[in-house]
Amino acid sequence: MENMDKPESTPKPKKSKSKSVVRWEALTVFALVVSLAMIYVVFLLEFHLKWIAENTAFESIGTEVNIGSIDIDFSEPSIFIDRIQMTNPDKPEENSIEIGKIKLTFAYAPLLKGSFISDETSVLGIKFHTKRSSPGRVLPKDQRVLILKDPSRAKVHDALRGKFKASAFSDLADLFKKDKRAEIKKQYKEKLASLKVSEEIEKQTKAIKDKAKSIEDGVSSSEVKGLLAEVKNFKFEAGSTKDSLDSAAKALALVEKLKSKRKEIKNEVNSLQSEISSLKQQVKSAPIQFLKDSNMLKASLDPSQMSPNKISEEILSEYFSIQLSQVDRVTSSLKKQALGDKAKYVDPANLPKSSGDSKPTKNQMSLEKEKERIFKKYGKNVVFYKPAVFPKYWFKKIIINSKSSAGQDLGDVSGLITDFSASPELLKNPMVVKINGSVPKQGIGSFTIDSTIDHRKIDDQSEKISIEVTDYLVKGLELFEGSDEWIKIVKSNSSTVLDVFLKNDEINLELKQTLKTPSYEVFAEDKNVESLMKRLQNSGSDLNLSLKASGDIKKPKLKISSNIGDLILSIVKDELKSQASALVSKGLAKLSGAAADKLNPYLKEIDVASLKADDLDKIFDKEIEQGLQKLKQKDQTKDLKDKLMKKLFKKF
Amino acid sequence: MYFIVQQFLSLIKLLHSDHSDDKIAWAFVLGFFSAVAPLSSLQGVLLVVIALIFRFQFGAFLLSWLLFSIFLMPFLGLLHSLGSSILGVEALRGVYTAMQKSDLLSLTRFNNTIVMGGFWAALLLSPLIKSTKVYYFLKSTIFVKVYDLYGKYGQA
């Protein structure tokens, strides 16, 4: 009971567990995050950077780029990059360039502002065309071109190519194309068959034919035949004296008539022959004109219309448009690099201010309103002190030094790049690049790059680039690539001088390239054109190419010149001349033959073997001599007869 | 999203529980400061870190941040004027210059008129916010009633 009386012990209220003001679990998580970040920085950052750099480079240029290692020294802030290899897109088993080591120092303070500033960067051990341990990845050419191609500029380049699309070779190919050739042959045949090789020749032929006809009409063969027969068959008729005399007079008249006709024929034939030889001379001396007159020569192939410069433009336009697009790509990427870090936020305080006391215009008022609206929305940044603004990146000095020692094939490359930055407008000096060197073992005699890139003022920028490369080996250079033909320089020692001055969008460019005794590889669908192009091989002269561009970069005025124009022109001229000459000879042979055909029947009748006037003369002379001889005999007989008659009369 | 919903529900639960009034009130004050400080500024980051590390009601912090951000929108012009006046005090010009020269303090973006005006507005109004206990106002809102209804149905 006692127990029952005992009040039941009430359970003690649970003492709520007092929680600390600090969330330790959150701090633990925070510490864990910081630890992970540190682990990442210490152990993984370098690999991550290497991976990012390699992938970014591949995506940018379309060929594999390998980096040996990246080491970051945080105690003396500097980065070491070992062995950078860039795959040669044309030969994936070798590198186009290999850099032994890059060392760059940087400052921590600017990093807090998101800026990377390097006081000094050293680039050491540059090699070209080194062997790779395994072939590098290379994107197909078309994809690489797309990567490198700035779409905004692509139209400009296409327009450039389009401008020079037609070429002398394609026209020449047209001339020789099978169907065309058949057509032309047909035309030739038709023309030759009707002796209408050209309008000029046709006229002359007609005149000759008319003359031949007039000769025939004037002295019909039957008449002459009759005359000759009479002369030949003349026999002294010792009949009545009167008859004898009449007969003799008739014979003499016939001979006179024959003599006169002989003269007439002789003159006609002489005239005909002199006309033929004059025509021959005329056509032989101007076969191109002949082809042109006969509508067998395209205007674009007319040497009188073909200037060497025009040919050079047609052949080299594609090549130079690629060169120009490369220059444009470099300069536009320089511009992009310079403007890449443009401030996104424009401080309204920097907007144009309304001018002093003058009454604000409507625009100025609206501008003030706009400024006020922006201030009320985003606030106004009051400037008490202009802090140092850091560019996104700034390499103050990049020293390139790569001297070869005995037994090494590094080549000698040295140079200095100053003030390479993303925000040149923040710097005092323009970016200057001066690099020179020689890598003879890699086929580069010497090179010099001297550039000044001035992007300090956004609205007034200029780039001056001078590059000179001498004695470098050119292999497989596509000089001209048409739809059915191409010309490739298989191998040549080359020298190039490039001077570019770009001020905003105004370009002034001069590119000169010399290819020493190049060996050509040519191809043409049409084998005639191909054989023609192969004659370039025998020209044996250096090839000088020159491009001048000026004016607006989007529509530059181009001036292409080269001695390839002269070479091609002379080859085309020779070819056309030989073509024309052959045609002319053929035509004239037929022409002469036709004239002879007309005359021969007549001439044969008087035993004339050929058209030659001299021979004809001799034959005529002989014939006439014989006739005269007979007449003399006739006269002698007459005299004897007369004497006898007188004696008889005396007797009577 | 789930986290935000969860935090919001826990806030309603907390308000309903009539518990930790002080912590909730402080969370509201922190939220108010965050609403006027840009997240990219030094104080913006610090406020979030404080709310995470110290035992404030995080849901209340987020809610007040959101509500005050919306609430202050029509008053940005006013904050700009206030900030302009404060930054225009000639006597403090030397201080401001020193602050802007300092790498650390310049990260506070104090030289922006709205940031400066907002900061002073928050500083002046925070005791009011804490004492008037805004959360009592929220307690009477539909959110808690919905929660109550949910609770009844839940028990049934």
Side-chain angles (χ1 to χ4, degrees), chain A residues 584-615:
Chain A
V584 167
S585 307
K586 222 172 171 181
L588 285 177
K590 197 149 187 179
L591 179 70
S592 303
D597 285 349
K598 293 284 178 189
L599 294 169
N600 273 346
Y602 156 66
L603 294 170
K604 273 177 189 167
E605 285 176 14
I606 49 170
D607 299 326
V608 179
S610 72
L611 258 174
K612 284 181 184 174
D614 291 344
D615 291 345

Coordinates of all heavy atoms in Angstrom, one line a residue, chain A residues 584-615:
Chain A
V584 N 46.1 25.9 -142.5 CA 46.3 26.8 -143.6 C 46.9 26.0 -144.8 O 46.5 26.1 -145.9 CB 47.1 28.0 -143.2 CG1 47.6 28.8 -144.5 CG2 46.3 29.0 -142.3
S585 N 48.0 25.3 -144.4 CA 48.7 24.5 -145.5 C 47.7 23.6 -146.2 O 47.7 23.5 -147.4 CB 49.8 23.7 -144.9 OG 50.6 24.5 -144.1
K586 N 46.9 23.0 -145.3 CA 46.0 22.0 -145.8 C 45.0 22.7 -146.8 O 44.7 22.3 -147.9 CB 45.2 21.4 -144.7 CG 44.9 19.9 -144.8 CD 44.3 19.5 -143.5 CE 43.8 18.0 -143.5 NZ 43.3 17.6 -142.3
G587 N 44.5 23.9 -146.3 CA 43.5 24.6 -147.0 C 44.1 25.1 -148.3 O 43.5 25.0 -149.4
L588 N 45.3 25.6 -148.3 CA 45.9 26.2 -149.4 C 46.3 25.1 -150.5 O 46.2 25.3 -151.7 CB 47.2 27.0 -149.1 CG 46.9 28.4 -148.4 CD1 48.1 29.0 -148.0 CD2 46.1 29.2 -149.3
A589 N 46.7 24.0 -149.9 CA 47.0 22.9 -150.8 C 45.8 22.5 -151.6 O 45.8 22.3 -152.8 CB 47.5 21.7 -150.0
K590 N 44.7 22.5 -150.9 CA 43.4 22.1 -151.5 C 43.0 23.3 -152.5 O 42.5 23.0 -153.6 CB 42.3 21.9 -150.5 CG 41.2 21.2 -151.1 CD 40.5 20.3 -150.0 CE 39.4 19.5 -150.7 NZ 38.8 18.6 -149.8
L591 N 43.3 24.5 -152.0 CA 42.9 25.6 -152.9 C 43.7 25.6 -154.2 O 43.1 25.8 -155.3 CB 43.3 26.9 -152.1 CG 43.0 28.2 -152.8 CD1 41.5 28.5 -152.9 CD2 43.7 29.4 -152.0
S592 N 45.0 25.4 -154.0 CA 45.8 25.3 -155.2 C 45.4 24.2 -156.1 O 45.3 24.3 -157.3 CB 47.3 25.1 -154.8 OG 47.7 26.1 -154.0
G593 N 45.1 23.1 -155.4 CA 44.7 21.9 -156.2 C 43.4 22.2 -157.0 O 43.3 21.8 -158.1
A594 N 42.5 22.9 -156.3 CA 41.2 23.2 -157.0 C 41.4 24.1 -158.2 O 40.8 23.9 -159.2 CB 40.3 23.9 -156.0
A595 N 42.4 25.1 -158.0 CA 42.6 26.0 -159.1 C 43.3 25.2 -160.3 O 42.9 25.3 -161.4 CB 43.6 27.1 -158.7
A596 N 44.2 24.3 -159.9 CA 44.9 23.5 -160.9 C 43.9 22.6 -161.6 O 43.9 22.4 -162.8 CB 45.9 22.7 -160.2
D597 N 42.9 22.1 -160.8 CA 41.9 21.2 -161.4 C 41.1 21.9 -162.5 O 40.8 21.3 -163.5 CB 40.9 20.7 -160.3 CG 41.6 19.7 -159.4 OD1 42.7 19.2 -159.7 OD2 41.0 19.4 -158.3
K598 N 40.9 23.1 -162.2 CA 40.1 23.9 -163.2 C 40.9 24.1 -164.4 O 40.4 24.1 -165.5 CB 39.7 25.3 -162.6 CG 38.7 25.2 -161.4 CD 37.4 24.9 -162.0 CE 36.4 24.7 -160.8 NZ 35.1 24.2 -161.3
L599 N 42.2 24.4 -164.3 CA 43.0 24.7 -165.4 C 43.5 23.5 -166.2 O 43.8 23.5 -167.4 CB 44.2 25.6 -165.0 CG 43.8 27.0 -164.4 CD1 45.0 27.6 -163.8 CD2 43.3 27.8 -165.6
N600 N 43.7 22.4 -165.4 CA 44.4 21.2 -166.0 C 43.8 20.7 -167.3 O 44.5 20.4 -168.2 CB 44.5 20.1 -165.0 CG 45.8 20.3 -164.1 OD1 46.7 21.1 -164.5 ND2 45.9 19.6 -163.1
P601 N 42.4 20.5 -167.3 CA 41.8 20.0 -168.5 C 42.2 20.7 -169.7 O 42.6 20.2 -170.8 CB 40.3 20.1 -168.2 CG 40.2 20.2 -166.8 CD 41.4 20.9 -166.3
Y602 N 42.2 22.0 -169.6 CA 42.6 22.9 -170.7 C 44.1 22.7 -171.0 O 44.5 22.6 -172.1 CB 42.2 24.3 -170.4 CG 43.0 25.3 -171.2 CD1 42.8 25.4 -172.6 CD2 43.9 26.2 -170.5 CE1 43.6 26.4 -173.3 CE2 44.6 27.1 -171.3 CZ 44.5 27.2 -172.6 OH 45.2 28.1 -173.3
L603 N 44.9 22.8 -169.9 CA 46.3 22.8 -170.1 C 46.8 21.5 -170.7 O 47.7 21.4 -171.5 CB 47.0 23.1 -168.8 CG 46.8 24.5 -168.2 CD1 47.3 24.7 -166.8 CD2 47.4 25.5 -169.2
K604 N 46.1 20.4 -170.2 CA 46.5 19.1 -170.7 C 46.3 19.0 -172.2 O 47.1 18.4 -172.9 CB 45.7 18.0 -170.0 CG 46.3 17.6 -168.7 CD 45.4 16.6 -168.0 CE 45.9 16.3 -166.6 NZ 44.9 15.6 -165.8
E605 N 45.3 19.7 -172.7 CA 45.0 19.6 -174.1 C 46.1 20.2 -174.9 O 46.2 19.9 -176.1 CB 43.7 20.3 -174.4 CG 42.5 19.5 -173.9 CD 41.2 20.3 -174.1 OE1 41.2 21.3 -174.8 OE2 40.2 19.8 -173.5
I606 N 46.8 21.1 -174.3 CA 47.9 21.7 -175.1 C 49.2 21.1 -174.5 O 50.2 21.8 -174.5 CB 47.9 23.2 -175.1 CG1 47.7 23.7 -173.7 CG2 46.8 23.7 -176.0 CD1 48.0 25.2 -173.6
D607 N 49.1 19.9 -174.0 CA 50.3 19.2 -173.5 C 51.1 20.0 -172.4 O 52.3 20.0 -172.4 CB 51.2 18.8 -174.6 CG 50.5 17.9 -175.6 OD1 49.6 17.1 -175.1 OD2 50.8 17.9 -176.8
V608 N 50.3 20.6 -171.6 CA 51.0 21.4 -170.5 C 51.0 20.5 -169.3 O 49.9 20.1 -168.9 CB 50.3 22.7 -170.2 CG1 51.1 23.4 -169.1 CG2 50.4 23.6 -171.5
A609 N 52.1 20.1 -168.8 CA 52.2 19.2 -167.7 C 51.8 19.8 -166.3 O 51.2 19.2 -165.5 CB 53.6 18.6 -167.6
S610 N 52.1 21.1 -166.2 CA 51.8 21.7 -164.9 C 51.3 23.2 -165.1 O 51.2 23.6 -166.3 CB 53.1 21.8 -164.1 OG 54.0 22.7 -164.6
L611 N 51.1 23.8 -164.0 CA 50.5 25.1 -164.0 C 51.6 26.2 -164.4 O 51.3 27.3 -164.6 CB 50.0 25.5 -162.7 CG 48.5 25.4 -162.5 CD1 48.1 25.6 -161.1 CD2 47.8 26.4 -163.4
K612 N 52.9 25.8 -164.3 CA 53.9 26.8 -164.4 C 53.9 27.5 -165.7 O 53.9 27.0 -166.8 CB 55.3 26.1 -164.2 CG 55.5 25.7 -162.7 CD 56.9 25.1 -162.5 CE 57.0 24.6 -161.1 NZ 58.3 23.9 -160.9
A613 N 53.9 28.8 -165.5 CA 53.8 29.7 -166.7 C 55.0 29.5 -167.6 O 54.8 29.6 -168.9 CB 53.7 31.1 -166.2
D614 N 56.2 29.3 -167.0 CA 57.4 29.2 -167.9 C 57.3 28.0 -168.8 O 57.6 28.1 -170.0 CB 58.6 29.1 -167.0 CG 58.9 30.4 -166.3 OD1 58.3 31.4 -166.7 OD2 59.6 30.4 -165.3
D615 N 56.9 26.9 -168.2 CA 56.7 25.6 -168.9 C 55.7 25.8 -170.1 O 56.0 25.4 -171.2 CB 56.3 24.5 -168.0 CG 57.4 24.1 -167.1 OD1 58.5 24.5 -167.3 OD2 57.1 23.4 -166.1

